[in-house]
Amino acid sequence: MRKPASIFATSTGAVLLLGSAFLTPVVAAEATLAETGKAVAEDRTKGNCFACHDYPGAVLPGNVGPKLMNMKARFPDKAKLRAQIYDATKNNPNTIMPPFGKHRILTDKELDAVVEWVLTL
Amino acid sequence: MKKLLTAISVALFVGVTATPAIAGPAEDANAFREYFKKRFPDIPFDDYINGVYAVNAGAREQWMAIEEFPPYQIAIDEGKKLFGTPFKNGQTYGSCFSNNGVGVADEYPMFDSKRGEVVTLELAINECRVKNGEEPLPWSKGKIASILAYMAFTTRGKKIDIKVPDDKALAAYEDGKRFYYARRGQLNMSCAHCHVDNAGNNLRANTLSPALGHASHWPVYRSSWGDMGTLHRRFQGCNEQVRAKAFKPQGKEYRDLEYFLTYMSNGLTWNGPGARE
């Protein structure tokens, strides 16, 4: 039986270090912004989006949020998508989705990368 | 809620002097039950004491197999022994409780009007020790969990019936309620986001249990702890999950939270100790 100690790994220094060690090579190998975004999104201490969202290729996704698909069509306006991820409470005051930008869960750069990744879904 | 509001406005409209519709604990608990009844029409009320296993059939089977050789049995046995062992002054735990401490865990959490605060069973146990010249036990696991397990076991089958006797009690209840619905931590979530709004949904591979029944079965043997823990230990874990700072076990915040949460389960059956993944 898998034993998830926590759903959202607490971002201890050690975990963060591991996280960036894992991200750096991707960036170095001229990853596209979208690829970087995917890595950020799937890092449990960062986006951890699949805790709540299913999307093509998601591993053991949750179903708290809607499936992320056809995102380009759903969000023709990139700023709107960015705003949703930056602070989802703007659109829905009672949302469970964390305010990734407002609460500095992601940096501006990471957020931009995640936006690019979401648009590939 | 909407229905309630409509009922009120109708009452006002036709000029009926209804009892003032001040939402109090009884109304809250009723709305809580109704909400879950609507959300899970197939789950019998009494089944909510089984937590996540009420809403996740797959996990339930594994759990029923586990319950055949309950991992909390050792704690019950140890708790019984501890409970029966006299303190150095010759007194026993039983001397601090009604009915010698057997089958009385349902008296807690209680609002002690004289003291003006919520008294949990843990608090009562440690105060009993201190009164009898012993050191208090650490709050959230170990010996205290064993004593709780024994006391909960002897209380199995009784109904949860938490009372809010006066205005001070109401204030403690309201504080607990506010805590329950307040967003917290970097991830900005309230207890209700996970255990009310999203009960039965999956966060990654974890099914979220409904808040109704959350207080019925403590202490719990949790596989991911590898031992027994108290309700406040669980509160701490859930706070930390959203990257909030956990509060102290048995501090006012968690005692009020426990008071509110247990009140919400009024009418269900005490079934501690429990086993959870």
Side-chain angles (χ1 to χ4, degrees), chain A residues 81-95:
Chain A
L81 175 58
R82 193 178 196 281
Q84 168 70 25
I85 304 169
Y86 185 88
D87 180 8
T89 64
K90 274 266 162 63
N91 193 38
N92 170 9
N94 190 39
T95 189

Side-chain angles (χ1 to χ4, degrees), chain B residues 72-150:
Chain B
Y72 48 73
Q73 186 60 49
I74 300 171
I76 297 176
D77 296 343
E78 185 192 47
K80 184 174 182 182
K81 215 160 109 199
L82 288 168
F83 196 86
T85 308
F87 302 125
K88 285 192 283 293
N89 69 1
Q91 290 289 352
T92 60
Y93 285 105
S95 69
C96 299
F97 296 92
S98 55
N99 197 38
N100 251 314
V102 177
V104 297
D106 62 314
E107 291 174 14
Y108 302 87
M110 57 112 84
F111 191 83
D112 185 326
S113 294
K114 270 196 229 112
R115 296 169 56 163
E117 64 177 330
V118 173
V119 177
T120 60
L121 186 51
E122 286 94 315
L123 204 62
I125 289 170
N126 262 344
E127 286 179 355
C128 177
R129 292 180 58 86
V130 171
K131 193 177 102 189
N132 286 292
E134 304 283 332
E135 291 285 311
L137 297 169
W139 286 121
S140 37
K141 55 181 171 180
K143 284 192 177 134
I144 204 160
S146 294
I147 295 169
L148 290 168
Y150 168 67

Side-chain angles (χ1 to χ4, degrees), chain B residues 109-111 116-120 162 168-180 232 235 250-263:
Chain B
M110 57 112 84
F111 191 83
E117 64 177 330
V118 173
V119 177
T120 60
I162 302 300
K168 274 193 188 156
L170 185 61
Y173 167 93
E174 292 289 351
D175 283 347
K177 178 177 167 183
R178 244 189 311 280
F179 191 110
Y180 201 79
H232 292 201
F235 288 166
Q250 302 304 323
K252 173 175 160 43
E253 293 86 359
Y254 283 172
R255 276 183 288 131
D256 290 349
L257 179 61
E258 174 176 346
Y259 188 49
F260 163 75
L261 197 59
T262 313
Y263 189 97

Side-chain angles (χ1 to χ4, degrees), chain A residues 100-118:
Chain A
F100 288 95
K102 191 174 168 215
H103 276 201
R104 314 307 299 163
I105 302 163
L106 301 179
T107 64
D108 284 343
K109 272 191 181 151
E110 287 168 337
L111 208 109
D112 289 336
V114 168
V115 168
E116 291 306 321
W117 167 71
V118 171

